[in-house]
Amino acid sequence: MKIAVIGTGYVGLVAGACLAETGNDVVCADIDETKIARLNRGEIPIYEPGLEPLVAGNLSSGRLRFTTDVAEAVRASHIVFIAVGTPADEDGSADLQHVLGVATAIGRAMNGGKIVITKSTVPVGTAARVKAAIEAETHHPVHVCSNPEFLKEGAAVEDFMKPDRVVLGVDSEFAGRVLTDLFSPFVRTGNAILLMDVAAAEITKYAANAMLATRISFMNTVARLCEVAGADVDMVRRGIGSDGRIGPGFLFPGAGYGGSCFPKDVKALIRTLGEQGIDASILEAVEAVNQEQKGLLLQRIIRRFGEDLSGRRFALWGLAFKPNTDDMREAPSLVTIPALLARGATVAVHDPAAMEEAARHLRDTVEYFPDNYDALAGADALVIHTEWLPYRRPDFPRIREALKTPVVIDGRNLYRLDTMREMGFEYYSVGRAPVVPGPA
Ligand SMILES: NC(=O)c1ccc[n+]([C@@H]2O[C@H](COP(=O)([O-])OP(=O)(O)OC[C@H]3O[C@@H](n4cnc5c(N)ncnc54)[C@H](O)[C@@H]3O)[C@@H](O)[C@H]2O)c1
């Protein structure tokens, strides 16, 4: 099939490469000329494991190409995916200007009947607006469907190639047949293709992200109780996660959720509910808990070292909002770092993939270290924001020797309490008792 993907960010690039991998002719279009130039040279503008060989292989086989000419991409294709960004507007609603702008561009370029699919996360009712925007420009017939994307950054290729399920909101039997055919190579082991109406598909995406965000904020609340009660949240997590009705996923407490999806999607769903006169207090609570949680590591630092941090130095391991990505959008580290700097501290940082992205936000206000151990020298404490694998089993004696004081403030519960006690650290984690060395 001939396919256009409009918007070549995390979602569009992964979708385009994976659809090409299954034999389709795919053209990915983006208005960002620099990005397209890099992609045409075989350079991948984002850090995403497994994506580079997939793009390179399909570029060289000719099944995948990149262009800045959206109209040409539309004309060359029977199926057009819209995968542009839908950031939060000032009032929290999803900003649809890019999606509707692309819809108008598609309408103007229509040279025959097409199926247009919104892959961007969009509020219920958007497909109807996309259809109206296209039909305002053309008399060619168009089906507008919804195929929300559930991939996780850091495992995006794997998630796209082997999805738990594919959700297809379709406007007709014809579109349902064509899209089922298109996605069937990805569900060969029997995972479901769920055909539904377009509105249900649009709501499914927000409901999924809001549910996951709710689990995280719920566990962060439970973690607060554990700290006060002297209980270990890890035990509670296992205790509830082993209940088949609850399941183990997304129950880890931490320094708050970030990224390009949960924060904006929770806000947008609150907005949609409000517009429909439906009480959104459950999600308002989820968001409020998360806002507070993103300040947790700063609070821990202040409690330990005082409000005035002038002359203090902190080493930060992990900047990205989660491991295996360089995405810094809404990362909790971007809450901690400016607050430390404002209180007079200096900050030394390390991240295995996100330092370049981080520098776009932090510029030269912090010191960047390509080796995580080098960042520790002379620091008052090590502060961990992201659970990258290389941080999980570090050289503890080396950490202790490099730090000025052996204090570790961990927002991801990476280490065992008994290990930290034995190693002589003062250790603060989330929902677990602090380790404070006393007389032997
Ligand atoms: N990133 C994720 O993990 C993820 C997962 C599931 C769903 N989503 C959703 O998918 C959508 C895209 O997210 P993303 O993270 O890939 O965004 P992104 O910001 O990484 O990429 C969006 C791309 O669209 C391009 N663009 C904007 N306007 C355009 C136009 N008029 N024509 C052509 N290209 C245009 C931008 O230049 C950019 O390259 C969002 O709605 C997001 O909520 C994202």
Side-chain angles (χ1 to χ4, degrees):
M1 265 185 257
K2 293 193 180 305
I3 296 172
V5 180
I6 316 297
T8 311
Y10 281 87
V11 167
L13 182 56
V14 170
C18 292
L19 288 165
E21 181 72 7
T22 48
N24 299 290
D25 286 320
V26 180
V27 50
C28 288
D30 201 291
I31 48 171
D32 184 334
E33 290 177 8
T34 315
K35 192 178 270 186
I36 293 298
R38 288 184 66 183
L39 285 164
N40 273 322
R41 290 196 298 272
E43 292 171 26
I44 307 297
I46 53 172
Y47 175 86
E48 191 57 57
L51 187 55
E52 192 166 354
L54 204 62
V55 170
N58 285 287
L59 258 179
S60 70
S61 74
R63 282 195 303 270
L64 180 63
R65 64 190 176 90
F66 297 101
T67 180
T68 52
D69 189 343
V70 172
E72 184 270 322
V74 172
R75 282 196 297 272
S77 308
H78 302 122
I79 295 178
V80 183
F81 283 92
I82 302 177
V84 295
T86 48
D89 217 336
E90 275 164 21
D91 62 5
S93 61
D95 179 352
L96 294 178
Q97 61 164 314
H98 303 296
V99 169
L100 296 175
V102 168
T104 300
I106 292 171
R108 290 185 184 150
M110 291 279 282
N111 55 349
K114 294 183 198 292
I115 299 177
V116 173
I117 301 148
T118 50
K119 200 170 232 328
S120 302
T121 301
V122 289
V124 59
T126 302
R129 294 177 67 186
V130 166
K131 189 171 170 67
I134 295 172
E135 287 179 340
E137 304 291 336
T138 181
H139 294 298
H140 289 295
V142 64
H143 292 274
V144 178
C145 299
S146 165
N147 166 228
E149 182 52 62
F150 297 99
L151 63 76
K152 300 182 289 297
E153 286 177 20
V157 172
E158 174 83 8
D159 285 348
F160 197 99
M161 298 300 279
K162 294 181 191 156
D164 291 339
R165 78 306 202 188
V166 175
V167 169
L168 294 174
V170 296
D171 66 348
S172 61
E173 213 184 306
F174 165 74
R177 255 199 334 269
V178 173
L179 296 185
T180 300
D181 194 34
L182 181 66
F183 281 97
S184 57
F186 304 112
V187 290
R188 285 172 50 80
T189 48
N191 289 356
I193 289 182
L194 301 173
L195 285 176
M196 57 184 76
D197 59 80
V198 172
E202 290 174 329
I203 293 174
T204 297
K205 175 65 194 176
Y206 281 100
N209 274 0
M211 171 64 92
L212 296 173
T214 301
R215 287 172 72 102
I216 294 170
S217 279
F218 173 78
M219 276 314 284
N220 282 331
T221 302
V222 170
R224 290 175 199 176
L225 177 60
C226 288
E227 284 178 20
V228 174
D232 184 336
V233 74
D234 214 38
M235 295 297 118
V236 179
R237 179 180 65 75
R238 287 162 193 239
I240 63 171
S242 51
D243 184 327
R245 295 167 302 177
I246 296 172
F250 278 80
L251 290 179
F252 288 87
Y257 61 75
S260 68
C261 293
F262 288 5
K264 84 170 170 60
D265 292 350
V266 169
K267 281 193 189 75
L269 187 53
I270 290 171
R271 184 77 193 170
T272 301
L273 291 169
E275 281 165 7
Q276 301 303 325
I278 301 165
D279 177 27
S281 52
I282 186 168
L283 294 178
E284 284 161 357
V286 168
E287 209 201 347
V289 167
N290 195 58
Q291 280 308 328
E292 206 180 322
Q293 205 70 14
K294 284 169 86 173
L296 179 80
L297 296 187
L298 176 68
Q299 290 315 319
R300 293 269 139 100
I301 294 168
I302 289 173
R303 201 184 306 159
R304 172 62 178 74
F305 294 98
E307 282 281 352
D308 179 8
L309 299 175
S310 48
R312 299 278 183 192
R313 180 175 177 83
F314 296 98
L316 258 79
W317 280 6
L319 296 165
F321 83 93
K322 67 172 184 178
N324 296 323
T325 182
D326 61 352
D327 200 335
M328 289 294 298
R329 288 178 278 187
E330 304 266 351
S333 64
L334 292 180
V335 173
T336 310
I337 292 171
L340 292 178
L341 297 172
R343 284 172 171 77
T346 54
V347 178
V349 302
H350 173 268
D351 188 284
M355 294 222 281
E356 208 177 300
E357 249 332 276
R360 283 158 29 99
H361 298 266
L362 301 167
R363 296 182 306 278
D364 58 358
T365 58
V366 299
E367 294 165 43
Y368 300 89
F369 287 87
D371 182 304
N372 54 321
Y373 291 101
D374 290 346
L376 301 169
D380 290 278
L382 164 63
V383 184
I384 300 175
H385 276 83
T386 319
E387 64 275 34
W388 281 96
L389 272 182
Y391 300 158
R392 283 188 183 267
R393 293 188 53 76
D395 183 339
F396 287 115
R398 200 170 158 195
I399 297 177
R400 208 185 44 225
E401 272 156 39
L403 289 173
K404 196 160 97 190
T405 42
V407 178
V408 177
I409 297 175
D410 177 2
R412 300 295 169 192
N413 289 1
L414 292 190
Y415 309 127
R416 291 172 60 101
L417 300 180
D418 50 4
T419 306
M420 297 309 272
R421 194 171 295 116
E422 282 158 22
M423 293 285 166
F425 284 103
E426 188 178 333
Y427 178 58
Y428 302 93
S429 52
V430 185
R432 303 188 299 175
V435 171
V436 185

